[in-house]
Amino acid sequence: MHGGGMMMVTGSSYGQMPFSGRPESRMRDHLGENVRRMRQIQRQAKEREANAHQPVKALWKSEKYSTITSKIKEDIKRPPSAPRPKSACFLRAHSRTGPSIKNISRPCTPDPPSEKLTVPPARCSSEIKFNRNNIDFIRVNGVSAKHQSMKRSPSLNALDDLKKKEEEEYNKHRKGVVPKYLQVRKEQWKKEEKDRIANIPDPEMPPGHRLLPEKERQETLKLLLTKEKELVDELSALPLRMDTFRIRSQKQDLENKIAEIDEAKKIFNRPKVFVKVDS
């Protein structure tokens, strides 16, 4: 042994050491196992054969019914009954078949009256004359087969009628026109979208206020313009000389109202007007 823990092996000792992937104690003896398995199978077969030759155990029978005899056994032991006297006139099975049937004489069927016959009797076959025409039946059959239409099953005819009806309905439909129910639904969607946008709270809106609708804003602005025109007309109608106190105060009052209307016009000219909510 060296300091590194390695073991030196000489050439002679290397040849005597067994070299295997696993120890000898772990190697299985497959031959011995197979022999033991075969002997076990032989023993089981002999036991089954011995059990097969044993007598079958009698079925259990209650002592309560031991004195009662079997009815089937009595019927088997009973001698057969004598044949009935009337059965001698009956026919036996297959008695009228075979070669002996030829010897039996049967009455002949009487011939019907001649006026009721649609086909002449066989005894007059030599006297019958047939009227034969020179007809080419092959040619006639070929012409009839050419002009005859092929018959189809009712289900196929119904299917063809359904397809024709669907094609007619498709051709009658106006192409390129939006159906009315889709137009109504589009208008409904626009209205719902408009209401949704209108109900969204504006981030610029101060608390306690509401957004004035556009229609009301336009109407209010129109009223302000009309009022402003009336006040300007009244101011223009005042005299030029301001000698009295009443005229001067009236002029001052009109000018103050016009100034208020100008401020209101600036407010209602904005795109968004917020009005305070009455509490």
Side-chain angles (χ1 to χ4, degrees):
M1 295 287 291
H2 291 273
M6 295 180 64
M7 183 173 66
M8 300 297 293
V9 181
T10 60
S12 60
S13 62
Y14 180 78
Q16 295 175 1
M17 291 180 63
F19 185 76
S20 176
R22 49 188 176 180
E24 290 183 355
S25 60
R26 295 185 180 180
M27 294 180 64
R28 295 180 61 180
D29 188 5
H30 296 286
L31 179 61
E33 290 181 0
N34 293 338
V35 172
R36 285 193 295 272
R37 179 62 180 164
M38 291 170 61
R39 289 176 180 174
Q40 183 181 2
I41 293 171
Q42 288 177 355
R43 284 196 300 271
Q44 293 176 357
K46 288 180 180 180
E47 291 176 359
R48 287 196 298 269
E49 187 176 358
N51 294 333
H53 292 293
Q54 291 181 0
V56 181
K57 294 182 180 180
L59 296 176
W60 177 84
K61 186 177 181 181
S62 177
E63 296 179 357
K64 181 179 179 181
Y65 304 103
S66 58
T67 58
I68 299 174
T69 58
S70 175
K71 293 184 178 181
I72 298 176
K73 187 175 181 182
E74 293 178 359
D75 293 339
I76 293 173
K77 291 182 178 180
R78 186 183 301 166
S81 58
R84 293 178 296 175
K86 293 182 181 180
S87 62
C89 301
F90 294 162
L91 293 175
R92 296 182 179 274
H94 310 288
S95 61
R96 302 192 66 177
T97 58
S100 60
I101 194 69
K102 297 179 181 179
N103 301 327
I104 300 173
S105 61
R106 295 181 180 178
C108 297
T109 305
D111 295 336
S114 58
E115 59 270 9
K116 292 185 178 181
L117 290 176
T118 56
V119 179
R123 61 177 179 271
C124 302
S125 59
S126 58
E127 303 174 0
I128 298 173
K129 295 181 180 180
F130 296 97
N131 296 325
R132 298 182 180 274
N133 298 323
N134 295 327
I135 300 174
D136 191 355
F137 293 100
I138 297 176
R139 182 173 176 277
V140 172
N141 293 337
V143 172
S144 60
K146 182 178 179 181
H147 296 285
Q148 188 176 7
S149 60
M150 184 177 63
K151 295 182 180 180
R152 304 183 67 186
S153 62
S155 58
L156 293 176
N157 294 332
L159 185 62
D160 292 342
D161 295 340
L162 181 61
K163 288 182 178 179
K164 289 179 181 179
K165 187 176 180 181
E166 290 178 353
E167 290 179 358
E168 291 176 358
E169 291 180 356
Y170 178 77
N171 294 328
K172 288 179 182 178
H173 181 70
R174 292 184 299 170
K175 301 177 181 64
V177 179
V178 181
K180 186 177 180 180
Y181 75 95
L182 288 180
Q183 296 178 1
V184 174
R185 190 168 296 178
K186 285 174 69 176
E187 294 295 331
Q188 184 180 357
W189 290 341
K190 286 181 181 179
K191 185 179 179 181
E192 291 177 357
E193 183 67 17
K194 188 176 180 180
D195 295 341
R196 186 187 66 81
I197 294 172
N199 294 328
I200 294 175
D202 195 341
E204 300 177 359
M205 184 174 61
H209 290 68
R210 67 177 181 85
L211 179 65
L212 188 69
E214 182 67 20
K215 187 176 180 181
E216 293 184 16
R217 188 184 71 82
Q218 294 289 345
E219 290 177 355
T220 305
L221 186 60
K222 187 177 180 181
L223 291 174
L224 289 174
L225 293 174
T226 305
K227 187 65 177 177
E228 183 184 19
K229 185 179 179 182
E230 292 176 358
L231 294 175
V232 170
D233 292 341
E234 290 182 8
L235 184 61
S236 301
L238 292 175
L240 296 175
R241 294 178 63 181
M242 301 292 174
D243 297 339
T244 62
F245 177 75
R246 186 180 66 80
I247 294 175
R248 286 197 299 269
S249 60
Q250 188 179 1
K251 180 182 178 182
Q252 186 66 32
D253 189 18
L254 290 173
E255 288 176 352
N256 292 336
K257 288 181 178 180
I258 292 171
E260 291 177 1
I261 290 175
D262 287 337
E263 292 296 328
K265 281 168 56 180
K266 292 179 182 179
I267 294 172
F268 283 93
N269 276 326
R270 296 173 184 174
K272 294 180 182 180
V273 179
F274 301 103
V275 183
K276 190 173 182 180
V277 179
D278 296 334
S279 58

